[in-house]
Each structure stands twice: as structure tokens, then as C-alpha cells.
């Protein structure tokens, strides 16, 4: 690998296929702009944060580096006693099972990235640029990671971080070339949760 850094969004690695990541890297103008549902999700996140007494900050994360690859992530809400990922759900529509599982997997990946940052978190630059306060903190390795899925709550416990990180890094590396991106998708697209589910546990609370 050369010395030029390649930047990745953890959210892209969680929610997009390898081919999509490659395409939007080549043609960033094609990347979808935030839609109404995403703005509603941000508003819901802020409303959740207002109900909590011990919030350290919102949009706090870090960067995991492997050679010249840099993966940036931001957790939705950090409290003194928990990390929270928030998903806004339309209560009038049935939620697809694949979507719920993808949210579980995203939480497991973000918990893993937090672990490999030695649990040192700081406010994401985009959040500071939007006028919010910059803060830093260190969370405990056993700090509960909770998914707020509409009105439901789930605790995500990661039992084995290493294979999750290796999978994410492999996906990032495969997305650098069209042929390897296609190869990765043919094997794992739609199967990422099944591939990694044995390395984390989900408990509804």
C-alpha cells in the first residue's frame, strides 16, 4: 500500500454494499443527499438525548487505522453509563426483519470500533461545525451499548471483537477496486449479519 490515506465512513461500511462504496468514491456527486426520514431521525435522536440526565455528548466517536485505511465513526449519544444508537421508526408501518438485524450489526460494529479506539471518544468534527460543543471522554470497556429502536430498547454485547474488525477492514479493502468489490458483494451482500451474528449477543430490555 502507498502512504496516501483512504478515508471510510463506518456508517457506509455498515449500510452500503462494496460496489456502492466504490461507486460513490469514484462519483461523489451521485451520493444521495440526506432525506426527510434522515432529518426526522436526527430530530428523534436529539429528543431522546433531552430525556436523559447524564449525557456527555452526541455524535462522539473516533478513528480506527489499519495501514493507510482510516475508518471514522460517531456514536449517537454518549452517557456516563451507556452508549446509545438511536433509530427513528414509523410506528404505523411494519419493520422489516432485515432492517432490525442490520441495526443490531451496526451497533456491534460501532461497539467494536469504540473498543479499538481504547474507548477514547470525542465529538465528531461535523457536529462541532454545526455549532455544538467539543467534548472528550473515556468510556469503560463494559459500558452497555443500547439500541433505541423506536420505543423498543436492545442491549448489544460483543463477545469477540477481532473477527468483527477484520471483516470491516476486509470490506473496506475490497471496496478499493471494482473487481474485488464485486467479489465481496457476491459472497457477503445481504449475509453480513449471518456472517457475524455469533460474535455478539442481543438482549431486549
Amino acid at each position: 500500500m502507498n502512504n496516501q490515506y483512504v478515508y471510510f465512513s463506518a456508517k457506509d461500511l455498515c449500510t452500503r454494499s462494496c460496489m456502492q462504496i466504490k461507486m460513490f468514491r469514484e462519483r461523489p456527486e451521485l451520493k444521495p443527499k440526506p432525506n426527510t426520514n434522515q432529518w426526522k431521525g436526527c430530530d428523534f435522536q436529539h429528543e431522546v438525548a433531552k430525556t436523559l440526565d447524564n449525557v456527555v455528548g452526541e455524535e462522539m466517536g473516533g478513528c480506527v487505522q489499519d495501514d493507510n485505511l482510516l475508518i471514522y465513526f460517531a456514536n449517537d449519544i454518549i452517557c456516563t453509563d451507556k452508549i446509545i444508537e438511536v433509530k427513528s421508526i414509523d410506528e404505523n408501518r411494519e419493520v422489516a426483519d432485515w432492517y432490525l438485524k442490520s441495526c443490531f450489526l451496526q451497533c456491534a460494529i460501532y461497539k467494536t470500533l469504540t473498543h479499538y479506539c481504547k474507548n477514547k471518544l470525542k465529538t465528531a468534527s461535523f457536529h462541532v461545525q454545526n455549532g455544538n460543543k467539543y467534548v472528550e471522554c473515556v468510556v469503560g470497556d463494559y459500558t452497555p451499548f443500547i439500541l433505541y429502536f423506536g420505543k423498543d430498547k436492545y442491549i448489544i454485547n460483543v463477545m469477540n471483537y477481532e473477527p468483527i474488525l477484520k471483516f470491516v477492514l476486509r470490506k473496506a479493502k475490497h471496496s478499493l477496486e471494482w473487481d474485488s468489490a464485486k467479489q465481496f458483494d457476491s459472497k457477503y451482500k445481504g449475509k453480513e449479519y449471518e456472517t457475524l451474528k455469533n460474535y455478539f449477543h442481543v438482549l431486549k430490555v
Side-chain angles (χ1 to χ4, degrees):
M1 288 188 173
N2 58 37
N3 293 322
Q4 185 175 1
Y5 291 120
V6 185
Y7 300 87
F8 289 91
S9 153
K11 188 167 185 180
D12 282 351
L13 289 168
C14 289
T15 61
R16 301 190 189 282
S17 67
C18 252
M19 292 283 280
Q20 284 179 319
I21 294 170
K22 174 62 174 173
M23 180 180 69
F24 293 139
R25 183 176 293 280
E26 297 285 322
R27 300 284 303 277
E29 72 277 8
L30 296 179
K31 195 168 186 177
K33 299 294 188 292
N35 57 39
T36 303
N37 287 336
Q38 288 172 311
W39 289 121
K40 285 181 179 178
C42 290
D43 291 340
F44 180 61
Q45 173 186 321
H46 300 324
E47 289 303 313
V48 168
K50 289 177 184 177
T51 68
L52 303 170
D53 297 326
N54 53 351
V55 175
V56 176
E58 294 183 61
E59 302 297 348
M60 295 184 66
C63 174
V64 173
Q65 179 175 354
D66 183 71
D67 292 332
N68 68 332
L69 303 183
L70 299 173
I71 299 177
Y72 285 87
F73 70 99
N75 298 300
D76 285 345
I77 304 171
I78 301 296
C79 297
T80 56
D81 60 348
K82 54 185 169 287
I83 302 171
I84 300 172
E85 177 70 20
V86 179
K87 298 295 183 185
S88 176
I89 303 300
D90 185 345
E91 301 294 342
N92 297 317
R93 299 178 62 182
E94 185 176 351
V95 178
D97 184 57
W98 68 265
Y99 178 65
L100 178 58
K101 288 179 177 178
S102 74
C103 294
F104 292 157
L105 179 59
Q106 180 183 341
C107 290
I109 290 173
Y110 276 42
K111 173 70 171 168
T112 297
L113 294 173
T114 298
H115 171 79
Y116 281 101
C117 280
K118 297 182 179 179
N119 298 308
K120 298 177 181 178
L121 303 173
K122 58 185 179 180
T123 308
S125 57
F126 74 85
H127 197 56
V128 176
Q129 290 166 7
N130 287 338
N132 298 284
K133 182 181 178 181
Y134 176 86
V135 292
E136 297 181 2
C137 74
V138 179
V139 297
D141 208 30
Y142 296 100
T143 300
F145 198 113
I146 305 175
L147 171 65
Y148 280 47
F149 194 78
K151 295 179 181 179
D152 294 330
K153 297 177 185 177
Y154 301 86
I155 295 178
I156 286 78
N157 291 311
V158 177
M159 290 92 72
N160 193 344
Y161 293 110
E162 186 176 2
I164 295 178
L165 180 66
K166 284 184 175 180
F167 184 88
V168 172
L169 290 172
R170 193 184 319 141
K171 183 174 183 178
K173 291 173 183 177
H174 274 76
S175 74
L176 297 176
E177 302 293 340
W178 287 111
D179 287 345
S180 57
K182 184 177 181 180
Q183 180 186 41
F184 187 94
D185 284 348
S186 68
K187 185 174 183 179
Y188 293 111
K189 187 177 179 180
K191 302 172 184 175
E192 297 186 22
Y193 173 84
E194 294 299 323
T195 301
L196 297 175
K197 68 178 183 180
N198 290 332
Y199 305 119
F200 65 94
H201 177 261
V202 178
L203 175 66
K204 189 171 184 179
V205 294

